[in-house]
Amino acid sequence: MSEDLRKIIIDGQEIEVPTSYTLLQAAETAGREIPRFCYHERLSVAGNCRMCLVELVGAPKPAASCAMQVKDMRGGPNGEPPAMNTLSPMVKKAREGVMEFLLINHPLDCPICDQGGECDLQDQSIAYGRTGSRFPENKRAVEDKYMGPIVATEMTRCIQCTRCVRFVTEIAGVPEIGMIGRGEDAEITTYLEKSITSELSGNVIDLCPVGALTSKPYAFNARPWELEKTETIDVMDAVGSNIRVDARGPAVLRILPRVHEGVNEEWISDKTRYAWEGLGRQRLDKAYVREAGKLRAIDWPEALKIAAGKLSGDASRIGAIAGDLCSVEEMKAAKDLFDALGVVSYDCRQDGSKLTAGNRQSYLFNTTIAGIEDADAILIIGANPRTEATMINARIRKTWLNNDTQVGLIGAPVDLTYPYEHVGTSAKDLAGLKSKRNGFIKTLKDAKRPMIILGSAALAGADGTQVLRAAGELAAAVGAVSETWNGFNVLHTAASRVGGLDLGFVPGTGGYDVAGMQSAKMDTIVLMGADEIDMASFGDAFVIYIGSHGDAGAHRADLILPGAAWTEQDGIFVNTEGRVQLASRAVFPKGAAKENWAIFRALSEHLSKTLPYDNLAQLRRKLFGSHAVFAGIDHAPGSDDAAEFEVAAIGAAGEVSSNDFGIAVTNFYFTNPIVRASKTLAECSAIAAGPAQAAAE
């Protein structure tokens, strides 16, 4: 028997488990269900609720199984393996007593509680509780607390499990929730009842095992059994968090996280959680053409005829820009059509980054998101992961907290929720770092698995290719790339970016990039949901906008073709680590809107360049045939080809600017048209912009 394993007896069954296991984990290994409220596998152990009590054979009283490890169990007097019972009369009595105690002050208001139907307390009181209570006294009442526009509070329901306190302290790194008082006067509250400022605050709603913390925007909208649930992918950033979209009829009413250990674990950002509000507002549900400065509603045949006429001109004076929310399929259909027309000016790099297609490792987060936990030194260059990729920032914080990983930053000083060494602010600081002997460069060189994270802001300048080379040379100098470890990473901010680069949605020979299309006098510009660029720069060009929301692109457009949002069509998205993931349709497109790839298929007929696919399945077969990388669903390449990766040769040699790196995401809550249409995220943005005082009602 390995010294890390130990034989124990659970309800008469002998099993072998690691000594580091808690009794709760050991019991679940044996197939026994242990009720709990305060315990959560991703949080520290509190031992508050006592619901997880078990009987240790030979012990005088029950023990909390969440707070005791297998190595602490005592064996029998004659060398027998330690034993515990989870189904004995003592355990049954203990559970009933604990449940009775927890319900002393809990209001029995399940019919009006938003947690009803998904409440751990409700389920466990039925399974393990008594049929009645022996406490006839009046229940206490607790004043509700203000926690911002996201979290609604009914604090009389709180059982003081402290999951929310531990989450914001340990995971979010913003310790703004705590407990005051003792005994019956104990209350959970925020500091001076201010709004929670963490971008992860909505996760406390999922963590709360009772109805004390619920979703304020979702309140009283629906019951869980009324909702149709669809497993899909988030596109609010380049992380690709796994989510579940809950809809009723044509409306999305809720977005919740799904567990994916390699990507988002079981958390999502507030932007992801409340993007659903924007799906029902400011929608484009019919085609429009601009005449005499005003938009006129038209039908699809007329719209396609106008678009075909504008795309039939000089191909060298036609350009297309893919936005941040485009699926691979719509970019594939658009590229096939533009290639057939001879158009070479198309680009997926709306942010202006100087990354090029071809060498995949030069633009991926090669370490993988889960691989961050193996790093022992991390240098962040021109990025703020807290706002650009919240789940990656949470993973870095987790690594710093558990492994004492050292973090350095080149760029504008920001609050990352963990300490770091500020190494510099510009590309000059980056280029000069490898020649130094002391400071953070020594930390990187001494590390066994150093990591370099290069942000979009560092690559968006005129010297972007030179910055890429400097980062690659630094990675080579500190040994960040080896046969078993690839520590060179590019952090993207857009869900479509990696898929577009994999597809080759970049200018062809003689073609213009986004900046070139803005400066050149183009005749026609096709905006595929591209709203984050200066619309005034297109001059007199005829702008065709294909998208779902009436944002900046639609305001500039001369022709609007209504498309589907990401929840309204099936699509492939590739996250920043190169993981191919499938997004599934939860509801149908609004009004006369069509799936985006189908718009290009219809356009191709009007242009006499009919694309060779009539449905999504045929398009995907064509896609997989020409780009096999998209067939590897849910695979993150990581260090697969690290041995062949010449990291010091990426980019281009040359001088770098001494200007400070910019900021890729200036407003976390307003990064795309969908979230800009959300009322809740608008409130969050206002609070983040200025600390306006708000009092509890």
Side-chain angles (χ1 to χ4, degrees), residues 37 102-103 106 113-116 118-122 154-161 163 204-214:
F37 292 114
L102 292 175
L103 292 175
H106 189 84
C113 179
D114 247 17
Q115 197 88 347
E118 298 175 318
C119 178
D120 290 344
L121 183 65
Q122 191 178 54
E154 293 282 349
M155 302 313 296
T156 301
R157 300 172 184 157
C158 181
I159 61 171
Q160 287 86 44
C161 71
R163 281 187 179 184
V204 301
I205 299 167
D206 301 331
L207 284 171
C208 184
V210 299
L213 306 179
T214 57

Side-chain angles (χ1 to χ4, degrees), residues 364-367 375 377-381 430 433 440-441 444 449-455 470-476 478-481 485-491 647:
L364 290 187
F365 200 94
N366 294 292
T367 304
I378 302 173
L379 177 63
I380 302 170
I381 304 167
L430 167 63
L433 189 60
F440 199 78
I441 185 66
L444 288 171
R449 292 175 297 276
M451 265 184 70
I452 307 291
I453 300 178
L454 186 60
E473 290 176 348
L474 176 63
V478 301
V481 179
W485 175 257
N486 192 338
F488 180 81
N489 305 283
V490 174
L491 180 61
V647 67

Side-chain angles (χ1 to χ4, degrees), residues 307-319:
K310 294 297 180 179
L311 294 174
S312 300
D314 184 357
S316 65
R317 299 181 64 81
I318 298 173

Side-chain angles (χ1 to χ4, degrees), residues 351 353 355 365 377-386 388 392-393 396 406-414 416 418 420-434 440-441 444 450-461 463-464 466-476 478 480 487-493 647 650 656-657 659-665:
D351 60 350
S353 63
L355 296 168
F365 200 94
I378 302 173
L379 177 63
I380 302 170
I381 304 167
N384 179 2
R386 181 174 177 181
E388 297 172 28
I392 288 179
N393 194 65
I396 296 174
Q406 303 298 304
V407 182
L409 173 68
I410 299 178
V414 291
L416 295 176
Y418 44 83
Y420 58 85
E421 182 177 333
H422 196 216
V423 182
T425 59
S426 68
K428 283 287 187 185
D429 297 319
L430 167 63
L433 189 60
K434 63 179 183 290
F440 199 78
I441 185 66
L444 288 171
M451 265 184 70
I452 307 291
I453 300 178
L454 186 60
S456 301
L459 297 166
D463 61 344
Q466 288 75 33
V467 172
L468 184 63
R469 171 63 65 87
E473 290 176 348
L474 176 63
V478 301
F488 180 81
N489 305 283
V490 174
L491 180 61
H492 295 278
T493 59
V647 67
I650 60 177
V656 295
S657 170
N659 296 331
D660 292 348
F661 289 134
I663 299 174
V665 176

Side-chain angles (χ1 to χ4, degrees), residues 246-262:
D246 291 356
R248 183 177 61 192
V252 174
L253 297 181
R254 190 168 63 169
I255 292 177
L256 297 175
R258 287 191 292 129
V259 177
H260 193 303
E261 298 295 346

Side-chain angles (χ1 to χ4, degrees), residues 391-637:
M391 302 320 306
I392 288 179
N393 194 65
R395 192 80 71 149
I396 296 174
R397 173 176 169 80
K398 178 183 178 182
T399 304
W400 165 80
L401 197 62
N402 296 335
N403 304 340
D404 197 27
T405 298
Q406 303 298 304
V407 182
L409 173 68
I410 299 178
V414 291
D415 181 7
L416 295 176
T417 71
Y418 44 83
Y420 58 85
E421 182 177 333
H422 196 216
V423 182
T425 59
S426 68
K428 283 287 187 185
D429 297 319
L430 167 63
L433 189 60
K434 63 179 183 290
S435 60
K436 294 184 176 180
R437 295 185 177 183
N438 298 313
F440 199 78
I441 185 66
K442 187 176 186 304
T443 302
L444 288 171
K445 288 182 176 180
D446 291 344
K448 295 180 179 178
R449 292 175 297 276
M451 265 184 70
I452 307 291
I453 300 178
L454 186 60
S456 301
L459 297 166
D463 61 344
T465 54
Q466 288 75 33
V467 172
L468 184 63
R469 171 63 65 87
E473 290 176 348
L474 176 63
V478 301
V481 179
S482 64
E483 291 186 4
T484 58
W485 175 257
N486 192 338
F488 180 81
N489 305 283
V490 174
L491 180 61
H492 295 278
T493 59
S496 64
R497 194 81 72 241
V498 174
L501 292 170
D502 286 342
L503 198 62
F505 202 93
V506 293
T509 303
Y512 295 112
D513 60 7
V514 172
M517 284 183 257
Q518 290 177 309
S519 59
K521 294 183 177 180
M522 310 293 283
D523 291 338
T524 304
I525 294 289
V526 180
L527 298 179
M528 300 162 56
D531 294 88
E532 317 307 320
I533 50 181
D534 180 16
M535 298 298 167
S537 62
F538 295 123
D540 297 330
F542 188 91
V543 176
I544 302 172
Y545 182 80
I546 302 174
S548 61
H549 281 70
D551 205 79
H555 283 279
R556 171 60 182 85
D558 298 290
L559 177 67
I560 296 174
L561 304 179
W566 104 97
T567 55
E568 299 162 3
Q569 59 183 349
D570 295 324
I572 291 173
F573 292 90
V574 187
N575 75 348
T576 191
E577 59 180 352
R579 187 186 301 272
V580 180
Q581 300 187 105
L582 296 176
S584 301
R585 183 176 65 194
V587 294
F588 288 94
K590 301 292 185 284
K594 297 182 180 295
E595 295 182 19
N596 298 332
W597 75 266
I599 295 174
F600 289 103
R601 172 62 177 81
L603 264 175
S604 70
E605 285 192 21
H606 283 73
L607 290 162
S608 300
K609 303 287 186 180
T610 305
L611 297 176
Y613 31 80
D614 299 322
N615 53 53
L616 188 62
Q618 293 176 359
L619 192 161
R620 285 181 173 173
R621 281 198 292 271
K622 178 79 171 175
L623 175 68
F624 297 159
S626 57
H627 300 84
V629 67
F630 295 115
I633 305 299
D634 201 37
H635 172 68

